[in-house]
Amino acid sequence: EKRKKLEEERKEAKAKRDAMLAKIADAKAARRAKILADSAIAGKNATRVKFKKPAPNATAACDLAFAAMPSVNSSKAFCNATETSASSGRRRRILNTEYDVTIEVNPEEVNVTTAVTELQSGGITPTTTQVDPLVALASVDGVDSGDLTALKTEVAGAAEVQAEVAALEDQVDSTEAEVEDIEDEVEDIEAEAEELDAEADELDAEADELDAEAD
């Protein structure tokens, strides 16, 4: 029953998300908003991965970033690249400029540990931070404040039900553990009973022998 209610709450939250996304004209901003909203609906913080990457331009910097993370589907991640302060003040006499690359993902859809390992294998040293998706959504261009408030309300409702579900699951796990303990105790008692029966049989046999000798 609680799981069904959670599904209904998340369905309502997704409807609010879709209404919000429909008003965002910029495709890149809409992608970021969806990733952040989906993280919030799942009850997770979004993960932000940052690192430096040399590239001919910002678009190429993101393309190269995703190429360095083959496990990450670029359609499920937001990428933004800006020239580093050192590069922006330098005349472009070389082919590549260094960019500060920021990747944001929903950890429910992207294995961040694997992505970070892939980057490190390619000689990149990334930093990761957890981001409150609802706070980050407020900074996305095109997000209507009223739509964001409505989404927050639905997310809060889903989070409350999720907490109830988690509490019930913990209760079930605890009960199952208690049952297993009782079953183990019963097995021990049965084993002891069998040993006592064996000892009783031995005593009976000895008694029979003594009776036979007495006769």
Side-chain angles (χ1 to χ4, degrees), residues 10-26:
R10 285 180 171 170
K11 184 177 180 180
E12 289 295 325
K14 288 177 180 178
K16 299 298 183 184
R17 173 204 66 191
D18 292 344
M20 177 182 70
L21 296 178
K23 298 178 183 178
I24 302 175
D26 182 74

Side-chain angles (χ1 to χ4, degrees), residues 134-147:
L134 294 174
V135 172
L137 270 170
S139 67
V140 177
D141 290 339
V143 170
D144 180 82
S145 60
D147 289 337

Side-chain angles (χ1 to χ4, degrees), residues 51-107:
F51 51 90
K52 296 184 184 299
K53 188 72 179 174
N57 52 59
T59 300
C62 283
D63 290 342
L64 290 169
F66 286 123
M69 301 181 292
S71 68
V72 179
N73 184 334
S74 61
S75 67
K76 296 183 181 298
F78 169 78
C79 178
N80 186 58
T82 57
E83 288 188 22
T84 61
S85 56
S87 294
S88 60
R90 187 187 307 158
R91 294 182 65 183
R92 297 193 179 191
R93 295 180 178 176
I94 55 176
L95 177 62
N96 287 342
T97 300
E98 190 171 67
Y99 286 85
D100 287 319
V101 178
T102 300
I103 305 286
E104 288 178 338
V105 299
N106 172 7

